[in-house]
Amino acid sequence: GIQVEQSPPDLILQEGANSTLRCNFSDSVNNLQWFHQNPWGQLINLFYIPSGTKQNGRLSATTVATERYSLLYISSSQTTDSGVYFCAVEQGTGAQKLVFGQGTRLTINP
Amino acid sequence: DVKVTQSSRYLVKRTGEKVFLECVQDMDHENMFWYRQDPGLGLRLIYFSYDVKMKEKGDIPEGYSVSREKKERFSLILESASTNQTSMYLCASSLYRGKGRGQYFGPGTRLTVT
């Protein structure tokens, strides 16, 4: 099956810093999503981005489907940005089965 | 906003008990999913459903069953709970392929089987 790799696995930054998280996938995909898992375990939708670039406040994402990668940018990091960020991709027909990467754990220190 | 709710945030059950985890979505989504999340193993799909009374096995269906009698509700059933089913369970829903904006997740249920 498709492989989804995220890097780096861990990232520790000071408040105010910028960061780039990467997601590589091994095959063509129909869709790609970025999630933030908060400290209580809930997965929060950040972006639905099968291709192109989107921005939402301090966050933006770019997916280059032809080269099989996606990037998540966080600017001016805040302590509330801490948590685990997951990339997930959808392959195949029918229902939208997602395959998740292992996540990037981001820690923002004050 | 899409809202996906799960019946419990925390649940403690004994080995051998029958356990029901309930998930409800309010956006008329066709697809619903159950995942479990474990340290070091990530999120894995247990079962999904693309219509009422329809179900398909995911990657790790053993020890679980599901029920979808109404479009908005998807239940995960542990017929005889075991300690290796201690985990975080996450429910999700989405519109049918091509119409949606991806999957939306509920808050999760942390299940402990003793």
Side-chain angles (χ1 to χ4, degrees):
Chain A
I2 191 170
Q3 303 296 313
V4 182
E5 294 184 357
Q6 292 186 241
S7 60
D10 292 280
L11 188 57
I12 301 174
L13 298 171
Q14 291 299 119
E15 202 167 21
N18 301 329
S19 57
T20 301
L21 283 58
R22 187 177 180 100
C23 172
N24 292 334
F25 41 97
S26 61
D27 202 349
S28 59
V29 298
N30 299 324
N31 294 309
L32 186 145
Q33 287 184 257
W34 282 98
F35 298 92
H36 175 212
Q37 189 163 40
N38 66 23
W40 298 272
Q42 183 161 9
L43 285 169
I44 308 298
N45 284 41
L46 297 178
F47 293 102
Y48 173 84
I49 185 166
S51 63
T53 297
K54 292 185 178 180
Q55 181 155 7
N56 184 4
R58 296 180 296 104
L59 275 62
S60 64
T62 295
T63 297
V64 184
T66 53
E67 297 186 22
R68 300 180 184 170
Y69 73 89
S70 183
L71 300 173
L72 177 69
Y73 306 96
I74 305 173
S75 64
S76 304
S77 299
Q78 301 175 357
T79 55
T80 52
D81 294 330
S82 296
V84 182
Y85 289 80
F86 288 99
C87 164
V89 301
E90 177 207 336
Q91 258 201 324
T93 58
Q96 296 160 288
K97 295 172 63 175
L98 286 178
V99 176
F100 283 79
Q102 290 298 309
T104 291
R105 181 173 298 278
L106 177 64
T107 302
I108 305 297
N109 292 320
Chain B
D1 272 356
V2 176
K3 189 163 186 181
V4 181
T5 57
Q6 295 183 228
S7 49
S8 305
R9 292 300 302 272
Y10 300 93
L11 206 54
V12 179
K13 296 292 181 181
R14 294 194 179 277
T15 301
E17 279 193 81
K18 190 169 186 176
V19 181
F20 293 86
L21 302 182
E22 306 285 341
C23 176
V24 177
Q25 51 92 6
D26 66 356
M27 286 303 292
D28 203 33
H29 283 176
E30 290 88 359
N31 300 328
M32 295 189 75
F33 307 81
W34 276 106
Y35 297 85
R36 64 177 282 178
Q37 184 178 23
D38 301 286
L41 296 175
L43 282 101
R44 296 176 291 167
L45 180 64
I46 305 171
Y47 266 98
F48 66 99
S49 168
Y50 52 88
D51 201 353
V52 175
K53 298 191 185 295
M54 304 302 289
K55 61 184 179 183
E56 286 197 26
K57 293 179 180 179
D59 300 317
I60 50 164
E62 297 79 18
Y64 303 94
S65 62
V66 290
S67 173
R68 193 165 181 202
E69 297 295 320
K70 293 184 177 181
K71 191 175 185 180
E72 68 271 18
R73 186 180 298 270
F74 192 35
S75 302
L76 180 69
I77 303 158
L78 287 66
E79 295 289 343
S80 178
S82 63
T83 54
N84 62 13
Q85 292 178 310
T86 291
S87 186
M88 174 70 150
Y89 290 87
L90 292 158
C91 174
S93 72
S94 67
L95 284 170
Y96 188 68
R97 177 182 181 76
K99 296 194 298 181
R101 307 301 295 167
Q103 290 188 22
Y104 293 83
F105 282 78
T109 296
R110 292 193 183 275
L111 172 67
T112 301
V113 182
T114 61

